[in-house]
Structure formats: structure tokens, C-alpha cells
Amino acid sequence: MTLSPISTPDAQLDLRGTPCPINFVRTKLRLEKMPPGGLLEVWLDPGEPIEQVPDSLTMAGYQVEQITDCSGYFSLLIRRPVTA
């Protein structure tokens, strides 16, 4: 059995307790520091953060690969595009 590369993020960002739009800005800045194709795991609060951040990242050209409800917060896996 081979693990998918999606299961091993290159970096993690805990933004629980961070309000919008600061959580989006911090996520985008972290993604910009990563190599092309890098995978970032971000933890977000329920409510406005999980409703706004994934859509904002998609509109900014990032690929949201997975959203997981972790009971109390959400985990996002976002990939930086290979061609930026």
C-alpha cells in the first residue's frame, strides 16, 4: 500500500483564532514562500474562516485539495501551483 503525497504536507499553519481576512493573507504569504507544487496544511476555525478562505484561495489560483472537519476546527490542504 502506497501513501498518497496528499497525506504528507510540506508545511503546516495553525490559524485557529485568527480573524478574516488576516487568515487568508497569512495563508497566501506562506504559500508564496513555498516551492512550486508544495502542499500546505492550514487549520481554520468554523464559521467565516472556513466559509471564506477556501474560496479566496481558489480565486487567487491555489488548489484546495482537501477540507477535513476535525471537530472544532477545519484542516485544509492547499497546493501551490507549479506555474505561478
Side-chain angles (χ1 to χ4, degrees):
M1 180 177 170
T2 306
L3 289 177
S4 166
I6 198 171
S7 64
T8 53
D10 300 305
Q12 187 180 52
L13 194 57
D14 184 353
L15 294 177
R16 293 175 292 178
T18 305
C20 289
I22 295 168
N23 47 22
F24 166 69
V25 172
R26 288 186 179 165
T27 301
K28 191 168 183 253
L29 288 172
R30 183 65 182 96
L31 283 162
E32 289 172 357
K33 292 179 182 177
M34 295 180 69
L39 188 64
L40 175 65
E41 180 180 17
V42 178
W43 294 353
L44 295 171
D45 292 318
E48 188 179 16
I50 194 60
E51 293 167 8
Q52 300 294 324
V53 173
D55 289 341
S56 297
L57 289 167
T58 301
M59 287 189 287
Y62 296 98
Q63 182 178 352
V64 178
E65 295 195 356
Q66 186 176 357
I67 299 175
T68 306
D69 185 342
C70 297
S71 185
Y73 69 97
F74 288 84
S75 170
L76 270 64
L77 288 177
I78 307 122
R79 187 163 309 274
R80 181 175 178 188
V82 175
T83 54

